[in-house]
Amino acid sequence: MADYIDCMNNYCQRQDTEYNRCYCSAQLAQIDAKHKPEIDRLIKEILTVKTKNYWTDAEMDEYWMETIGQYTGENSWQNLEDALNIDWAGTESTVRGQQAFAMGHQYCVQHLQGCAYMQTNMRDAYRSEIARDCAAYETSLQQLQNAAESIVEAYK
């Protein structure tokens, strides 16, 4: 099982991203589509409000800590600004989602000794890992959206 997970991680794991193994799920595109329009709108609104009200980064930092930082543990406006800088269109390859999962599974089962008889169990166990990463990714986008909405509301 460990060899299968290591092999599948070569196809699916994206450690330096919020979505990680969700990369091999069709849900990744659905999650992005669900949150992208609202987060993009909030980015524009935050930048407009900040410019219109002449808020400095220090003032944004102070507001962040008073209202959001105490709950999230994040300590600056810069953290939100960095988090909102999402490259939605960027992909590491043209093979992602279910296609990457299917290719990885097929390769890993064929090339690992003694795995063929357990392939369904291994596939399902790995899908659970993918589902956990997708849930964590969606939660992080929702928290980001909530924080951005809070900033917009506070500066209206």
Side-chain angles (χ1 to χ4, degrees), residues 119-132:
Q119 67 178 311
T120 302
N121 292 341
M122 291 185 302
R123 182 194 65 218
D124 292 344
Y126 197 79
R127 280 189 175 152
S128 293
E129 296 294 322
I130 289 172
R132 276 194 287 277

Side-chain angles (χ1 to χ4, degrees), residues 10-62:
N10 289 327
Y11 284 87
C12 299
Q13 198 169 39
R14 301 296 185 271
Q15 291 180 336
D16 295 331
T17 65
E18 287 287 327
Y19 50 81
N20 201 359
R21 284 175 285 223
C22 189
Y23 182 83
C24 279
S25 173
Q27 277 190 303
L28 180 59
Q30 294 167 351
I31 292 167
D32 286 348
K34 177 181 173 184
H35 293 279
K36 179 186 185 306
E38 184 62 13
I39 289 175
D40 283 347
R41 182 190 69 75
L42 288 166
I43 291 169
K44 290 175 187 157
E45 199 165 340
I46 287 171
L47 294 175
T48 300
V49 167
K50 183 181 177 208
T51 304
K52 180 177 150 189
N53 294 335
Y54 303 107
W55 298 112
T56 65
D57 284 341
E59 289 169 323
M60 293 296 274
D61 243 3
E62 182 180 339

Side-chain angles (χ1 to χ4, degrees), residues 2 6 13 22-23 25 41 43 49 51 73 84 86 96 101 103-104 111 116 125 129 134-135 143 152:
D6 288 342
Q13 198 169 39
C22 189
Y23 182 83
S25 173
R41 182 190 69 75
I43 291 169
V49 167
T51 304
L84 288 172
I86 300 170
R96 63 185 286 177
F101 179 84
M103 286 175 58
H111 290 87
E129 296 294 322
C134 286
Q143 289 172 339
V152 168

Side-chain angles (χ1 to χ4, degrees), residues 34-36 38-39 42 80 84 140-150:
K34 177 181 173 184
H35 293 279
K36 179 186 185 306
E38 184 62 13
I39 289 175
L42 288 166
L80 178 65
L84 288 172
S140 73
L141 285 180
Q142 188 61 55
Q143 289 172 339
L144 181 63
Q145 187 173 331
N146 293 345
E149 287 170 349
S150 175

Side-chain angles (χ1 to χ4, degrees), residues 50-141:
K50 183 181 177 208
T51 304
K52 180 177 150 189
N53 294 335
Y54 303 107
W55 298 112
T56 65
D57 284 341
E59 289 169 323
M60 293 296 274
D61 243 3
E62 182 180 339
Y63 170 75
W64 177 265
M65 282 309 295
E66 288 174 3
T67 60
I68 299 164
Q70 61 182 325
Y71 303 109
T72 65
E74 299 291 327
N75 62 2
S76 73
W77 154 247
Q78 187 63 43
N79 290 337
L80 178 65
E81 196 171 55
D82 290 344
L84 288 172
N85 189 18
I86 300 170
D87 181 11
W88 299 100
T91 58
E92 296 165 24
S93 73
T94 56
V95 178
R96 63 185 286 177
Q98 288 295 103
Q99 187 179 5
F101 179 84
M103 286 175 58
H105 176 71
Q106 182 179 17
Y107 175 84
C108 293
V109 168
Q110 288 177 356
H111 290 87
L112 295 175
Q113 294 280 341
C115 285
Y117 74 97
M118 294 177 32
Q119 67 178 311
T120 302
N121 292 341
M122 291 185 302
R123 182 194 65 218
D124 292 344
Y126 197 79
R127 280 189 175 152
S128 293
E129 296 294 322
I130 289 172
R132 276 194 287 277
D133 285 351
C134 286
Y137 177 55
E138 186 161 21
T139 298
S140 73
L141 285 180

